[in-house]
Amino acid sequence: MSAATQESQAARAIEQLMTLHPKGFDLSLERITRLLERLGNPQDHMPPVIHIAGTNGKGSCAAFSRALLEADGRIVHVHTSPHLVNWHERYRLGAPGCGRLVDDDVLTDAINRVADANNGETITVFEILTAVMFVLFSEHPADVAIVEVGLGGRFDATNVIKRPATSVIMPVSLDHEAYLGDRAELIAAEKAGIIKRGAPVVIGAQESEAAREVLESTAERLGAPAVIYGQDFFAFEENGRMIYQDDTGLMDLTRPKLPGRHQFANAAAAIAAVRAAGFNVTPDIADRALEAVSWPGRMQKLTSGRLVELAPNGAEIWLDGGHNPGAGAVIAEALADQEDRNPRPLFLIAGMINTKDQTNYFRAFKGMVRHVFTVPVASSEAGVPNDELAVRAEEAGLSAEPIASVGNALSLLRETWDDTEVAPRILIGGSLYLAGQVLADNGTPPA
């Protein structure tokens, strides 16, 4: 029975692990290496791996890469984190035609085997769940595995892969400064830790010249052939289509299904990565992939569900879990693109956690948003109180007020909306925790 149709045994097993092991991150490879040795080193028995790091865009790159490979008929495993609603989202097992989220009984069995092998020794839950990924992906045949880094790169638990088919470093910006450093070049050095000697690396579009130089110099030092956005490949919009070009030539492609101009660069990085990993990408494959790609909680348009019914009639509702200033900038740009094509009054419903730069996230929307409703993030102990978050939004120059929930904000907009005015555009965002909360409350979890 699938994870979506039964009470989750896996979730109960993970909750039990959380009572035994420390929460959060403890960046080191010693514990995961010890555990994997006891499990027979499943990471050495994986299909070819596309290993993706970066501050922003790594999930989109994974989604585009999966779509490209499946459009070519490949069987593809995908590991992403964090999940939005259910733990099973972290593990998509490949199958002919299209993969699916791991079944609950399969995931529960893998969790129990990994926990038994650990035998109660000190470890983080993220490390156990990463070992579960290696076990699952080594035991189920596939043509390729896409593995997203959890945090950083150098000491991330996924970084025991000895020689990936290719590494990918997506845009680097400030996030998790307490763990990774407070300058882009320091964070880039941590992300560059996934580059392996002699293995190809794709360097996606970088906002910081200093970060790009760190990534390039690391690749050069390790003899890792580097494919660099803006130098070896690039993409741009022309007449409503996506133009991709690299040293093999030019492809005139359909516009990516994922909205926002930043997705052109993300899709381009995926094309470069799939090619660097040794797989085929033709214009037909790319077109089908760009039309089929899906990435829940990232500029996801909500068109139905319990929460949607509370909004003003005809409202356009977008959900995005981006939570740092860099993400705020690309989301704002995507909404500006929507405004150019279809003007509507814009409102923001935001919830954030206390490890994020809230004021600079909000600052990206200055001059665009009519009003901000700040809400609690009930699913995280680190959620910023909604009254405090409203102050952060006001510091960024926005009109803001705290409100009890996303549902209350949507209902208030509906009650007070003047039906003679065009229906609003609403962004719900600021946290992946909030995005998951919204998808669950709306009755539309990822599948």
Side-chain angles (χ1 to χ4, degrees):
M1 188 177 291
S2 72
T5 57
Q6 69 174 36
E7 185 180 3
S8 174
Q9 300 177 65
R12 291 197 295 271
I14 293 168
E15 287 167 7
Q16 184 176 6
L17 289 173
M18 286 180 162
T19 66
L20 300 173
H21 300 291
K23 294 182 181 180
F25 299 94
D26 186 3
L27 297 180
S28 165
L29 295 180
E30 294 176 6
R31 296 175 300 274
I32 185 73
T33 299
R34 177 198 70 217
L35 175 56
L36 291 171
E37 286 176 354
R38 293 179 183 176
L39 291 163
N41 288 314
Q43 76 279 9
D44 295 338
H45 305 284
M46 300 257 286
V49 173
I50 296 174
H51 196 195
I52 306 174
T55 308
N56 296 309
K58 61 182 184 287
S60 294
C61 181
F64 280 120
S65 298
R66 172 194 159 207
L68 288 161
L69 289 158
E70 289 184 341
D72 191 33
R74 305 291 180 171
I75 296 175
V76 188
H77 295 329
V78 185
H79 170 262
T80 57
S81 66
H83 61 282
L84 295 177
V85 179
N86 298 307
W87 291 97
H88 308 72
E89 298 165 35
R90 298 179 180 228
Y91 313 97
R92 179 173 290 274
L93 295 182
C98 182
R100 67 175 187 175
L101 303 186
V102 61
D103 286 349
D104 194 65
D105 54 350
V106 174
L107 179 55
T108 304
D109 173 69
I111 292 168
N112 290 337
R113 284 188 284 141
V114 170
D116 288 345
N118 188 63
N119 196 30
E121 295 197 33
T122 300
I123 199 165
T124 68
V125 172
F126 181 78
E127 288 167 327
I128 288 180
L129 295 179
T130 301
V132 166
M133 177 267 293
F134 287 128
V135 167
L136 290 172
F137 288 6
S138 67
E139 293 179 349
H140 292 78
D143 298 310
V144 61
I146 299 168
V147 176
E148 181 186 329
V149 165
L151 175 63
R154 183 164 60 110
F155 291 121
D156 184 75
T158 65
N159 199 30
V160 293
I161 301 163
K162 293 177 181 175
R163 188 177 176 89
T166 189
S167 302
V168 185
I169 314 290
M170 295 300 287
V172 173
S173 63
L174 295 180
D175 199 10
H176 299 294
E177 292 95 327
Y179 293 100
L180 305 179
D182 59 359
R183 300 198 310 274
E185 58 267 35
L186 296 177
I187 295 175
E190 293 298 322
K191 309 289 186 187
I194 73 165
I195 301 173
K196 299 299 191 296
R197 185 172 298 279
V201 57
V202 173
I203 298 175
Q206 300 296 324
E207 298 174 6
S208 164
E209 182 71 17
R212 186 178 61 78
E213 288 176 356
V214 168
L215 300 174
E216 289 187 34
S217 63
T218 303
E220 183 176 3
R221 175 172 54 82
L222 295 173
V227 183
I228 302 166
Y229 185 88
Q231 176 177 311
D232 303 301
F233 72 100
F234 58 90
F236 58 91
E237 182 180 3
E238 186 174 274
N239 298 323
R241 293 177 62 79
M242 172 174 155
I243 307 300
Y244 173 89
Q245 188 167 1
D246 60 17
D247 60 3
T248 68
L250 180 147
M251 292 193 291
D252 182 357
L253 304 171
T254 188
R255 186 185 183 95
K257 181 181 173 184
L258 300 183
R261 278 169 279 186
H262 62 291
Q263 295 296 0
F264 286 76
N266 291 340
I271 293 172
V274 170
R275 284 181 163 176
F279 296 95
N280 190 35
V281 180
T282 65
D284 179 61
I285 288 170
D287 270 337
R288 285 186 279 122
L290 295 177
E291 290 172 351
V293 66
S294 173
W295 189 224
R298 284 76 169 184
M299 282 307 288
Q300 177 182 356
K301 191 174 185 179
L302 301 181
T303 58
S304 63
R306 293 189 291 265
L307 288 178
V308 172
E309 292 172 359
L310 301 176
N313 291 329
E316 183 182 291
I317 304 175
W318 297 91
L319 176 68
D320 195 286
H323 47 247
N324 55 48
V330 296
I331 297 164
E333 183 181 40
L335 290 169
D337 187 45
Q338 296 286 337
E339 177 68 10
D340 287 343
R341 289 185 284 152
N342 179 21
R344 289 173 181 253
L346 177 62
F347 291 82
L348 174 57
I349 302 173
M352 300 188 74
I353 63 174
N354 59 24
T355 58
K356 306 304 175 184
D357 183 348
Q358 301 127 39
T359 301
N360 282 320
Y361 170 85
F362 286 123
R363 194 161 278 136
F365 302 96
K366 187 175 181 180
M368 296 177 60
V369 172
R370 182 178 291 191
H371 192 64
V372 181
F373 298 99
T374 56
V375 297
V377 181
S379 53
S380 172
E381 295 175 356
V384 178
N386 56 351
D387 55 347
E388 181 181 328
L389 191 59
V391 173
R392 302 286 87 79
E394 289 171 347
E395 288 175 352
L398 305 179
S399 165
E401 68 176 293
I403 198 162
S405 69
V406 171
N408 284 359
L410 293 171
S411 295
L412 179 61
L413 270 172
R414 184 183 184 112
E415 291 166 5
T416 58
W417 194 253
D418 181 354
D419 288 338
T420 64
E421 190 175 8
V422 64
R425 177 173 289 120
I426 303 166
L427 170 68
I428 306 172
S431 167
L432 285 170
Y433 289 104
L434 181 66
Q437 204 173 294
V438 166
L439 290 173
D441 291 347
N442 195 49
T444 52

